Amino acid sequence: MFKPKMLSMITPNPGLQVLQKTLNLPKKELILEIELNGKMKFEHLMNTIYQKFGICHKVLSANVEYINGRSFGTVQLYINVYPEDFEQLEYYLNKNKLLNTTVEYTCRKYL
């Protein structure tokens, strides 16, 4: 029986990113809250989001405690991302059993 590779679900697709930029698909501004439960170090998670998924982020708040080298707490990130890239990140977080909540960020602009 054939088993599909799940790795392709979490590996960024460079062709898709080029296509998104060519079509000028809109990015979404999101606030992502992640609950750290000791399964992944905070530093590793931040590095993975940037290096593996190519998502630049700003840490809005972080309440992280380290117990025996494990990270516990919550972190809120501001990200500006294409919907497809965010879906890959969300899949990665869920696969690693990291609870996460997302709120779309809207900024009121005055003329």
Side-chain angles (χ1 to χ4, degrees), residues 46-62:
M46 296 299 104
N47 189 46
T48 300
I49 291 172
Y50 180 70
Q51 294 291 331
K52 188 171 190 172
F53 296 103
I55 299 174
C56 295
H57 57 275
K58 294 180 184 177
V59 177
L60 298 177
S61 71

Side-chain angles (χ1 to χ4, degrees), residues 75-104:
V75 60
Q76 288 184 341
L77 304 175
Y78 166 81
I79 57 176
N80 191 1
V81 65
Y82 292 109
E84 291 82 7
D85 293 339
F86 179 71
E87 286 175 13
Q88 290 181 347
L89 174 59
E90 191 173 37
Y91 175 80
Y92 175 80
L93 294 172
N94 291 334
K95 180 182 170 203
N96 287 286
K97 298 183 182 358
L98 294 170
L99 295 176
N100 58 87
T101 307
T102 308
V103 175
E104 192 164 348

